[in-house]
Amino acid sequence: MKFAFFDAKPYDISSFENISKEKGVEFKFFETKLNEDTMELAHGFDGVCVFVNDTVTAKVIDYFYENGIKMIALRCAGFNNVDVKAAYGKVHIFHVPAYSPYAVAEHAMAMLLTSIRRIHKAYIRTKDFNFSLNGLTGFDLYGKTAGIIGTGKIGRIFINICKGFGMKVIAYDPYPSEEYGIEYVSLDELLGRSDIISLHCPLTKDTYHIIDYPSIEKVKKGVVIINTSRGALINAEALLEGIKSRKIGAACLDVYEEESDIFFEDFSGHIVSDDTLARLITMPNVLVTSHQAFLTEEALRNIAETTLNNIIEFSNNGCCENELCYHCGKTANCKTNRIKKCF
Ligand code: NAI
């Protein structure tokens, strides 16, 4: 089987090359992202392998369908960049529902600690033999309230990490889980009570700009907002205004709404044309990482193994446990509604 692998980075290539040959799947690695301009590169392949910033529109799906490209293997969990509805009846889509929720939750805490203890500033100072402490005052996490939006796999691990620091934890999720002893509150209550707000929900029409001008009105002054989920959960303009007005104390962003043409690439020495991102990065209390939260050795290994297993399972059995189903939007729990596959 031959797959066109889009947005390939050196760390992807090494993790996939290590196991693809023994599994009988051949990858052609393309540095470019998949979109309507590049879709023809997939001609002649059995399927494509894509990541978070590839754009799989209805037009791309139709091109695949007309050219016998039957599989889209997402090597990530989120699938907001794929028109799953358009793919129904045409192309099968698989994803990797979890590869290391610990990687993402630990990165969220790493960003929070870096930000509030000014580690990023201290690192640069001491490299320059500047041992002054002026301006580096932080605050204790112990006793503070963390508000978690989305209590799935990553959110629950982040909750446990926060509890380890002696923080109080409250959460908002429209599908609360009774198993884990989490204190659920309304979104408005969470906004009003939290010292730290961390987003761990998927990007959907309900969560689009869940942090926006009206929600920022409701937050506690000085709140720290962490987003390791999807950029469009936050209206970046509203966030910038909140930072400028001092309502928001700090922001830790691993994702950004308009990241797809910027993140994962080296723009040092170039002019970044996104004024909002550029302005956010100039703020002393905004920390940006480039969709890096997943990037651990464990996660890369799990991504490669699950992606390959998805492809092989589907090829051998005509169905795959990790297929995305348009009808329920989830993979695992909809088997009663379908005969082990989406169509
Ligand atoms: P999950 O599916 O286990 O949990 C998501 C939770 O969000 C569920 O409990 C769900 O009920 C909840 N939710 C759904 N709609 C909601 C709403 N309107 N408001 C609040 N909560 C809502 O997902 P998981 O594995 O915990 O991942 C969370 C997100 O993390 C993913 O959707 C993805 O966008 C992001 N992610 C980011 C990575 C990175 O490298 N930065 C890597 C992996 C995932």
Side-chain angles (χ1 to χ4, degrees):
M1 262 174 308
K2 282 168 42 189
F3 269 70
F5 192 110
F6 286 89
D7 202 9
K9 296 286 183 278
Y11 46 82
D12 293 315
I13 296 173
S14 58
S15 62
F16 273 80
E17 270 187 339
N18 276 344
I19 55 170
S20 60
K21 286 198 186 91
E22 69 196 52
K23 300 249 186 192
V25 180
E26 191 186 318
F27 288 106
K28 167 103 178 162
F29 295 101
F30 294 105
E31 277 184 30
T32 183
K33 293 183 178 62
L34 174 65
N35 55 42
E36 291 178 4
D37 296 329
T38 61
M39 63 191 181
E40 288 175 20
L41 287 170
H43 190 266
F45 288 89
D46 299 299
V48 296
C49 183
V50 300
F51 197 48
V52 293
N53 288 327
D54 295 296
T55 313
V56 191
T57 60
K59 188 173 169 190
V60 173
I61 300 226
D62 283 343
Y63 177 81
F64 288 175
Y65 182 58
E66 284 155 17
N67 288 279
I69 299 158
K70 297 183 187 67
M71 292 173 258
I72 298 172
L74 285 163
R75 53 183 194 279
C76 53
F79 46 90
N80 53 287
N81 54 329
V82 181
D83 192 334
V84 180
K85 183 176 177 186
Y88 181 67
K90 294 179 177 169
V91 180
H92 293 275
I93 309 169
F94 328 117
H95 75 152
V96 181
Y99 31 93
S100 175
Y102 300 98
V104 183
E106 288 171 15
H107 190 82
M109 181 49 85
M111 291 192 87
L112 175 60
L113 285 171
T114 303
S115 169
I116 66 161
R117 301 309 303 269
R118 320 279 192 258
I119 305 294
H120 52 312
K121 297 196 172 298
Y123 175 80
I124 291 167
R125 276 192 199 180
T126 54
K127 279 272 174 203
D128 203 25
F129 300 102
N130 174 355
F131 300 105
S132 157
L133 293 183
N134 294 339
L136 299 187
T137 309
F139 64 83
D140 293 4
L141 286 179
Y142 179 81
K144 297 291 186 304
T145 299
I148 313 302
I149 301 182
T151 58
K153 293 176 286 298
I154 297 170
R156 290 199 302 273
I157 293 166
F158 190 69
I159 287 173
N160 287 339
I161 294 173
C162 290
K163 287 185 173 166
F165 277 78
M167 301 171 79
K168 293 185 199 112
V169 178
I170 54 176
Y172 167 71
D173 192 314
Y175 311 99
S177 166
E178 285 171 14
E179 278 173 61
Y180 304 97
I182 298 167
E183 182 189 345
Y184 286 100
V185 296
S186 69
L187 182 58
D188 278 358
E189 186 177 345
L190 181 143
L191 294 170
R193 281 178 55 194
S194 302
D195 301 296
I196 285 114
I197 294 175
S198 197
L199 301 170
H200 297 291
C201 54
L203 175 61
T204 64
K205 62 178 178 9
D206 295 331
T207 60
Y208 175 78
H209 285 184
I210 196 166
I211 300 295
D212 203 344
Y213 292 99
S215 40
I216 291 173
E217 281 286 303
K218 294 173 189 157
V219 299
K220 241 179 164 174
K221 187 168 169 20
V223 68
V224 181
I225 296 182
I226 309 167
N227 188 6
T228 55
S229 283
R230 286 292 179 267
L233 297 177
I234 297 183
N235 178 344
E237 302 278 346
L239 180 74
L240 182 58
E241 286 308 312
I243 297 269
K244 281 160 70 179
S245 70
R246 291 13 177 212
K247 187 84 194 275
I248 294 172
C252 304
L253 309 175
D254 185 52
V255 286
Y256 175 68
E257 184 164 7
E258 302 299 330
E259 71 179 48
S260 62
D261 290 333
I262 301 173
F263 281 18
F264 306 139
E265 308 302 334
D266 181 359
F267 281 98
S268 53
H270 296 260
I271 308 292
V272 170
S273 53
D274 186 319
D275 289 347
T276 308
L277 179 63
R279 188 83 176 96
L280 280 168
I281 287 174
T282 64
M283 295 289 174
N285 51 354
V286 175
L287 193 63
V288 175
T289 53
S290 175
H291 210 130
Q292 181 189 336
F294 75 99
L295 195 62
T296 64
E297 287 174 12
E298 292 81 357
L300 287 175
R301 194 169 52 240
N302 289 339
I303 287 170
E305 276 175 10
T306 308
T307 305
L308 279 153
N309 288 342
N310 287 345
I311 293 169
I312 290 161
E313 191 186 338
F314 187 82
S315 303
N316 290 347
N317 309 331
C319 60
C320 169
E321 197 191 354
N322 291 330
E323 181 172 5
L324 292 176
C325 175
Y326 158 60
H327 288 295
C328 67
K330 291 185 181 168
T331 55
N333 301 325
C334 71
K335 285 183 183 165
T336 47
N337 300 332
R338 62 196 174 108
I339 315 154
K340 282 193 156 189
K341 57 183 180 174
C342 187
F343 59 89

